[in-house]
């Protein structure tokens, strides 16, 4: 499970249109009933039971955006009005499919870890979680609370998110990123350097094409590509060196490094000493 926190935004609409749904949806289109897997507990107080299940994309956008317009003077500690918080949760392709109830549990636990949902706080943030794509969850919230103040998230909430992701993996039987089994195969570094060299070659060609252009912006772009090609070359060289070191046989544990032969006196060999 990988959690990615996006840069805060000032409007829910673009987040829904660009990041949440993988197919274009009309703002007036009713969302499938199983797509909304969780939302802030206070929503049921303001709406009839079951009503959110029939909301459109526009309904959800207006609902999350409402505090931004209701409290025009609410700002973050940095005097910022961008109140739309957005994160997504991605499972590994090999993970099993979660049920709607399990996705709901993931959403609520992630919301609490991010400081979005605080148990017992009836003036907290509005938020909603969509499961619009397989193995993927999007959580969107307004950081402007119902009392008009700004929701202060814990300073280390990203660490809390990572820790909660590990607990969810354990509780739900999911894979942990980076966990390898004896049957997993990692591509040799030599297989990585080959496409890297191809990419460097393409960058170098474009840099040469732009270097002689009369337009200053194009020449500047060519210079940037030259620097990029140089960095790719350095990376390619470092990978090649590291791959060569990994191919060397390792000494068995506890083995002593071979000792160097003792220096032979110059007088015995007839060799002249270095100047």
């Amino acid at each position: 499970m990988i959690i990615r926190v996006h840069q805060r935004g000032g409007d829910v609409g673009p987040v829904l249109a660009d990041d949440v749904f993988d197919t274009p949806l009309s703002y007036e289109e009713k969302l499938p009933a199983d797509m909304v897997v969780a939302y802030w507990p206070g929503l049921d107080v303001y709406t009839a039971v079951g009503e959110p299940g029939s909301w459109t994309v526009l309904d959800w956008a207006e609902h999350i955006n409402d505090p931004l317009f209701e409290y025009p003077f609410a700002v973050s500690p940095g005097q910022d009005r961008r109140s739309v918080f957005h994160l997504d949760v991605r499972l590994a392709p090999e993970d099993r499919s979660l049920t709607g109830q399990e996705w709901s549990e993931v959403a609520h636990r992630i919301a609490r870890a991010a400081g979005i949902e605080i148990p017992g706080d009836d003036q907290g943030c509005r938020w909603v979680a969509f499961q619009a794509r397989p193995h993927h969850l999007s959580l969107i919230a307004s950081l402007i609370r119902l009392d008009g103040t700004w929701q202060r998230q814990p300073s280390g909430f990203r660490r809390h998110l990572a820790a909660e992701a590990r607990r969810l993996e354990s509780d739900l039987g999911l894979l942990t990123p980076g966990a390898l089994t004896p049957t997993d195969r990692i591509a040799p570094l030599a297989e990585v350097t080959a496409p890297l060299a191809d990419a460097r070659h393409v960058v170098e060609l474009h840099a040469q094409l732009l270097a002689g252009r009369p337009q200053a912006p194009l020449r500047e772009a060519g210079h940037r590509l030259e620097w990029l090609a140089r960095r790719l070359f350095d990376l390619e060289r470092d990978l090649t060196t590291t791959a060569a070191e990994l191919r060397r046989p390792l000494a068995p544990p506890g083995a002593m490094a071979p000792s160097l032969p003792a220096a032979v006196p110059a007088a015995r060999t007839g060799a002249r000493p270095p100047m």
Side-chain angles (χ1 to χ4, degrees):
M1 176 182 294
I2 297 176
I3 300 177
R4 180 178 61 160
V5 178
H6 298 262
Q7 186 176 6
R8 290 204 316 271
D11 184 9
V12 176
V15 176
L16 291 175
D18 299 336
D19 297 328
V20 174
F21 305 112
D22 59 351
T23 57
L25 286 178
S26 166
Y27 274 94
E28 300 296 335
E29 184 175 347
K30 176 183 172 181
L31 295 178
D34 59 350
M35 186 176 289
V36 180
V37 297
Y39 46 80
W40 64 292
L43 181 58
D44 291 332
V45 177
Y46 293 88
T47 60
V49 176
E51 186 177 350
S54 63
W55 283 11
T56 64
V57 178
L58 182 60
D59 291 331
W60 282 111
E62 291 180 344
H63 174 70
I64 303 297
N65 272 338
D66 255 356
L68 186 67
F69 303 106
E70 188 174 355
Y71 301 103
F73 301 108
V75 293
S76 73
Q79 305 300 304
D80 191 345
R81 284 278 289 165
R82 292 176 298 172
S83 61
V84 178
F85 177 83
H86 173 213
L87 64 76
D88 58 51
V89 179
R90 298 176 186 270
L91 305 186
E94 299 81 8
D95 274 324
R96 66 179 179 86
S97 297
L98 301 184
T99 66
Q101 184 175 358
E102 287 172 327
W103 275 120
S104 179
E105 179 182 355
V106 170
H108 280 283
R109 288 172 61 170
I110 291 300
R112 289 194 291 269
I116 297 300
E117 178 180 309
I118 302 175
D121 183 2
D122 58 359
Q123 296 294 309
C125 302
R126 296 182 177 188
W127 64 270
V128 61
F130 299 100
Q131 208 270 304
R133 284 175 275 174
H135 282 43
H136 182 275
L137 180 83
S138 292
L139 188 149
I140 304 171
S142 170
L143 293 181
I144 300 178
R145 297 163 45 86
L146 297 185
D147 57 11
T149 61
W150 193 275
Q151 180 68 39
R152 291 180 177 266
Q153 296 173 272
S155 59
F157 78 90
R158 294 175 187 267
R159 293 193 301 273
H160 296 321
L161 286 173
E164 189 61 37
R166 302 293 84 80
R167 286 190 287 267
L168 282 165
E169 289 160 358
S170 176
D171 295 344
L172 299 176
L174 302 174
L175 299 177
T176 298
L180 298 176
T181 67
T183 58
D184 289 327
R185 176 184 179 273
I186 304 177
L189 289 179
E191 295 182 14
V192 179
T193 55
L196 192 61
D198 293 340
R200 175 175 58 83
H201 181 63
V202 172
V203 172
E204 289 174 343
L205 289 177
H206 281 80
Q208 293 171 4
L209 290 173
L210 293 174
R213 300 297 293 271
Q215 298 90 342
L218 295 181
R219 292 198 305 273
E220 179 62 28
H223 293 322
R224 290 198 299 270
L225 289 177
E226 289 177 357
W227 280 106
L228 177 58
R230 178 62 189 180
R231 291 197 294 271
L232 287 173
F233 174 77
D234 291 339
L235 178 58
E236 179 187 348
R237 182 177 56 187
D238 290 343
L239 283 172
T240 302
T241 302
T242 304
E245 292 175 351
L246 292 175
R247 286 195 295 268
R248 294 175 184 169
L250 298 177
M256 297 182 61
S259 58
L260 295 176
V264 180
R268 286 183 58 185
T269 61
R272 302 175 63 180
M275 300 295 292

